[in-house]
Amino acid sequence: MADTISAEPPDAAPPGRGRRRPLYLVAVSVVLILLSGFLPAGVPALGTLALGVGIFVSALALHARQLLHRRGQLRVLLRVSHFLAGDPAVSVVADAEGDIHHINPAGRSRFRDADVSSKQETGEGGSVVALLRGLMANPASVVYRLQKRTEAQGVASDTVSTRSGQVALSVHDIGGGLRLWRIEENRATATEQAETGLLPRLTVGRGGTILFMNAVARKLIGKRVSSLDRLSSDPLENGKVISLDTATGPVARLVSEVALNGGRRELFFLPPPAENESSTSFDHLSVPLMKVSQMGVVTRANHEALKLLNAEEVTGKKLSDLMEGLGRPVTDWLRDAAAGRGQKQSEFLRISRRDREVFVQVVLNRVFEDGEPSIIAVLNDATELKTLEAQFVQSQKMQAIGQLAGGVAHDFNNLLTAISGHCDLLLLRHDQGDPNYGDLVQINQNANRAAALVGQLLAFSRKQTLCPEVLDLRDTLADLTHLLNRLVGERVALALDHDPVLRTIRADKRQLEQVLMNLVVNARDAMPEGGEIRITTEGLTLDAPLKRDRASVPPGDYVLVKVQDQGVGIAPDMLQKVFEPFYTTKRTGEGTGLGLSTVYGIVKQTGGFIFVDSVVGKGSCFSLLFPVHSEKPATDAASLALEDTGAGGTGYDAVILLVEDEAPVRAFASRALRMRGFKVLEAASAEEALDLLRDPEIKVNVFVTDVVMPGLDGPSWVRQALEDRPEVKVVFVSGYAQESFHDDQAAIPNSTFLPKPFSLVELTDTVQRQLH
């Protein structure tokens, strides 16, 4: 390996301006030193001499720094040049300014005409921008954008569409001030797409020059032509039938034109829909076509259009009955097309079919028959495109709602902690016979309901804090059966069917119960006349990946839970939307649209999968897949706490440092801990806590700190404090989800997490467990 590296050393970097800077400084320093000899003795001469000597020393230091930097770059280049030699993609090593330092053999072969090596020696053009100038129109902006992204993230990538295909660019920071650029071209993409067209197609420039002809057009014409005037003596106007000069003689064709960027346009040559023409060419053409009158009535449709519409015959039907989602009257749209307005613009519409959701891209073309205009509609299946667009919009919606929910949860959880905490303190001073006891219980219960609502907001955005434990679903459902029977009512029967050898899973029991309750309530609402809800559990082993509904379930052992009802079912076009937040088929006031989206969020955050099958009129079945937990269950935390409390003492002489920026929360937590006999030191910020800990006489056993605070956050100040006090235990509290700082907590020993809102008992028990 070493011989290979030495036999093919990396290229020398071009002499940039930065390397000449020490020479300029040396020249300036020499001039100043010489000038000081001609000045009168005294302060001016000494000042000039000192300035010259200072600049000379600075030049030497700058030169030494450049040598060290260059040596580091050479070491990086020696390491990567060997690996890049066999890379089939173009690989370029450049500095942060984009000056090229090394090009692998694939790059030299690809850009042989650019003579990169000679340009490097002259210092002209040896840059990534110059290298890409032959591939794309404006490489400088692309390079600048990728460089900025690499500075922030260490890696960046982009795909640029060009006339000859697509160029994939990726940049990686490899250290030493150098970056690795990989350039991959997919020249065949655009050409192959054009070549596989089913219709004769031309791409025409501004002056009528033919830029491209696909294979169907070349076969029809019989040769390549360079300009439009060689195709026909008739003017090539959109919607007109012309006589096309082909290899077999003149052929009548309908011209369809689509505008492109930069003044370019595409011309399609369609069979003319004349009445005396045989219907074979129109009906059996592999492109969905429809003929529509100005009033929107379909007068003709070929086989591909009927297949797309899922209909046997549409003649005589209105276009507005077949498609929807235009946003304006279909007759106005057709009237504009018949008048020659807006023919080149496509519209996306949804086909009115019940079996599945189908979107089409429709382009209207005007034709004349007996002097009267009519419309030819060219359809293109755009379902996949609209699905990708919907997924992108949905991901943006979920991200925005998740961010909103996270912020709302933080503020609400602080408020709820203060409300429920002080309520706990009041309940300690009142017994059940007190007149105020019932009011305090109501306040406490409603605070808990508000906390559950905040948790539901976080659930469907997958940002809630989970407390996973090893569960046997048979035991979980047995504990939940009584509540489920109360939920379904008298007219609905609940049946359970368990696998006798069901294995365990790892999940949050409280959240899993919420999932099952939401599914059972939805099943109950789907059976207004009554029926049976059957919950089935069984083991499932996948030997190969299960791909379904754009999800891929990896092989392995799973526990399958089915919730099946005999209700009205879900229409096929609605199945894709049932897990979207705020989507509901119930009337106003009967549902929020958060139930199934919450279920989806909890299942996905647990690491499981959820699918739905439904037949209208026969019922629905929700299937949940949870990975089997193979490890031995850990000892229950509650039993550990009891054992520790009994064997290790109370720990009431311990000192707690409480750091919380919210004054009401700090007041409640401080009083709760003092009531349990702890000594509490309070701090309103991380900086105040660090100042307090500078006194070596102060002994602290447990830090109880908020995570997100103005200034230093919780994990940051705790790391500093643990340098001098490594034995102190830590309890992090936060209104945000635990995952927002899970990595920071994992790096801090002897730490645990307590989510807000917490009760008096939860806080004191958590601190007690940390002490033991």
Side-chain angles (χ1 to χ4, degrees), residues 111-417:
F111 296 103
R112 186 181 296 108
D113 297 337
D115 194 13
V116 177
S117 59
S118 63
K119 290 181 179 181
Q120 286 183 15
E121 293 171 1
T122 60
E124 298 177 358
S127 66
V128 178
V129 174
L131 202 66
L132 296 176
R133 192 165 287 125
L135 299 180
M136 56 190 70
N138 185 20
S141 61
V142 178
V143 171
Y144 177 79
R145 184 171 66 250
L146 291 176
Q147 285 176 331
K148 287 298 182 183
R149 202 181 305 166
T150 306
E151 289 178 5
Q153 304 175 2
V155 63
S157 62
D158 197 2
T159 301
V160 181
S161 299
T162 65
R163 287 184 300 175
S164 58
Q166 292 182 329
V167 179
L169 302 174
S170 62
V171 193
H172 297 265
D173 191 339
I174 59 176
L178 298 177
R179 293 169 183 174
L180 173 62
W181 291 74
R182 296 186 80 251
I183 306 170
E184 297 180 88
E185 297 179 75
N186 188 2
R187 291 174 166 270
T189 302
T191 305
E192 287 176 354
Q193 290 178 352
E195 289 291 331
T196 55
L198 300 170
L199 294 174
R201 172 189 172 191
L202 308 178
T203 303
V204 184
R206 290 179 180 273
T209 303
I210 298 178
L211 304 176
F212 174 78
M213 299 175 63
N214 69 350
V216 182
R218 292 196 302 270
K219 183 177 180 181
L220 176 65
I221 305 301
K223 59 181 179 179
R224 292 181 179 271
V225 292
S226 58
S227 60
L228 290 178
D229 54 6
R230 299 187 180 183
L231 290 177
S232 175
S233 57
D234 300 331
L236 275 71
E237 298 181 7
N238 185 43
K240 293 293 185 67
V241 178
I242 65 167
S243 177
L244 195 64
D245 296 334
T246 67
T248 58
V251 174
R253 283 291 184 267
L254 171 68
V255 179
S256 178
E257 179 180 324
V258 177
L260 302 176
N261 295 330
R264 296 179 297 121
R265 53 192 176 130
E266 286 186 343
L267 297 180
F268 295 87
F269 298 109
L270 308 176
E275 292 296 336
N276 57 356
E277 180 188 3
S278 172
S279 63
T280 303
S281 59
F282 182 86
D283 291 338
H284 296 280
L285 195 64
S286 300
V287 177
L289 298 174
M290 297 174 61
K291 184 178 177 183
V292 187
S293 68
Q294 296 185 56
M295 301 305 297
V297 178
V298 179
T299 60
R300 192 173 177 184
N302 69 351
H303 293 308
E304 289 297 323
L306 294 175
K307 186 188 302 182
L308 195 59
L309 295 169
N310 193 30
E312 296 182 358
E313 184 58 57
V314 295
T315 302
K317 295 184 178 180
K318 290 187 176 182
L319 189 64
S320 57
D321 295 335
L322 302 175
M323 304 176 189
E324 59 187 9
L326 181 62
R328 60 169 177 153
V330 174
T331 52
D332 293 348
W333 180 41
L334 296 174
R335 192 177 297 112
D336 289 344
R341 299 187 298 268
Q343 298 182 73
K344 302 176 184 179
Q345 298 177 356
S346 61
E347 296 284 354
F348 288 91
L349 292 91
R350 180 180 179 272
I351 293 180
S352 302
R353 49 187 293 180
R354 299 290 296 176
D355 58 333
R356 64 186 182 95
E357 196 171 43
V358 178
F359 290 90
V360 289
Q361 183 181 15
V362 185
V363 179
L364 302 181
N365 297 275
R366 180 180 60 170
V367 295
F368 289 91
E369 294 178 352
D370 299 329
E372 292 293 329
S374 60
I375 307 298
I376 296 293
V378 182
L379 312 182
N380 182 36
D381 191 347
T383 304
E384 185 175 355
L385 175 63
K386 296 297 288 186
T387 301
L388 292 174
E389 180 184 349
Q391 290 177 358
F392 176 71
V393 172
Q394 177 68 11
S395 66
Q396 285 188 318
K397 184 194 301 182
M398 292 294 289
Q399 182 179 6
I401 293 177
Q403 291 175 349
L404 175 62
V408 168
H410 175 256
D411 294 334
F412 267 71
N413 284 332
N414 277 326
L415 296 173
L416 294 171
T417 302

Side-chain angles (χ1 to χ4, degrees), residues 698-703 721-730 749-750 770:
I698 295 179
K699 303 298 182 181
V700 178
N701 300 100
V702 179
F703 296 148
L722 290 179
E723 292 177 0
D724 298 326
R725 303 169 184 261
E727 75 286 351
V728 179
K729 309 296 178 62
V730 184
N750 301 323
Q770 283 296 89

Side-chain angles (χ1 to χ4, degrees), residues 433-744:
D434 194 297
N436 296 325
Y437 186 83
D439 296 335
L440 293 174
V441 170
Q442 285 293 325
I443 295 173
N444 189 273
Q445 290 178 350
N446 282 281
N448 292 332
R449 288 182 60 192
L453 180 60
V454 174
Q456 191 176 20
L457 277 174
L458 292 173
F460 74 83
S461 63
R462 288 186 251 170
K463 289 183 179 292
Q464 85 277 32
T465 297
L466 298 181
C467 299
E469 55 184 296
V470 179
L471 300 175
D472 187 328
L473 281 177
R474 293 171 296 186
D475 297 337
T476 303
L477 284 170
D479 297 338
L480 197 61
T481 302
H482 179 67
L483 178 59
L484 294 179
N485 280 320
R486 292 180 59 188
L487 287 174
V488 298
E490 297 179 354
R491 290 191 296 179
V492 177
L494 183 66
L496 300 179
D497 187 6
H498 292 307
D499 188 333
V501 289
L502 196 66
R503 299 172 67 180
T504 58
I505 65 171
R506 190 169 186 269
D508 186 314
K509 183 178 181 181
R510 180 175 56 86
Q511 300 287 356
L512 187 58
E513 289 174 347
Q514 183 180 355
V515 166
L516 295 171
M517 284 190 293
N518 283 352
L519 292 178
V520 168
V521 167
N522 278 351
R524 178 203 65 189
D525 294 341
M527 299 186 295
E529 303 299 326
E532 182 186 73
I533 301 174
R534 179 169 293 274
I535 302 178
T536 307
T537 61
E538 61 180 278
L540 178 65
T541 300
L542 295 179
D543 298 326
L546 172 64
K547 295 184 177 180
R548 178 181 170 183
D549 299 343
R550 300 190 297 272
S552 179
V553 184
D557 295 327
Y558 294 88
V559 172
L560 173 63
V561 183
K562 292 183 178 179
V563 180
Q564 191 169 5
D565 63 65
Q566 301 170 341
V568 295
I570 306 172
D573 57 337
M574 301 298 180
L575 279 177
Q576 304 175 31
K577 302 178 180 179
V578 294
F579 296 118
E580 293 182 6
F582 308 113
Y583 177 81
T584 178
T585 57
K586 299 178 182 179
R587 292 176 297 182
T588 303
E590 294 183 355
T592 62
L594 290 178
L596 288 178
S597 60
T598 300
V599 168
Y600 181 84
I602 294 173
V603 171
K604 296 302 289 185
Q605 191 173 7
T606 306
F609 299 85
I610 182 169
F611 305 104
V612 56
D613 300 284
S614 184
V615 178
V616 176
K618 294 185 177 181
S620 304
C621 178
F622 286 85
S623 302
L624 290 77
L625 281 172
F626 296 102
V628 166
H629 182 70
S630 56
E631 299 179 5
K632 294 182 179 180
T635 306
D636 184 62
S639 61
L640 280 177
L642 293 175
E643 292 174 5
D644 289 339
T645 303
T650 61
Y652 287 163
D653 56 344
V655 178
I656 313 298
L657 175 56
L658 175 63
V659 185
E660 171 63 62
D661 62 308
E662 289 284 341
V665 178
R666 188 171 68 252
F668 151 65
S670 175
R671 290 180 58 188
L673 293 171
R674 287 193 176 99
M675 289 179 64
R676 288 290 295 266
F678 297 111
K679 298 177 182 178
V680 181
L681 303 176
E682 298 183 35
S685 66
E687 291 78 8
E688 184 178 340
L690 292 174
D691 289 339
L692 191 64
L693 293 174
R694 288 192 178 96
D695 186 354
E697 299 298 325
I698 295 179
K699 303 298 182 181
V700 178
N701 300 100
V702 179
F703 296 148
V704 179
T705 175
D706 195 5
V707 175
V708 180
M709 295 181 292
L712 282 178
D713 58 18
S716 298
W717 84 260
V718 167
R719 287 195 198 93
Q720 297 183 28
L722 290 179
E723 292 177 0
D724 298 326
R725 303 169 184 261
E727 75 286 351
V728 179
K729 309 296 178 62
V730 184
V731 176
F732 287 110
V733 297
S734 178
Y736 288 108
Q738 184 179 6
E739 66 177 20
S740 61
F741 75 105
H742 181 72
D743 294 337
D744 290 333

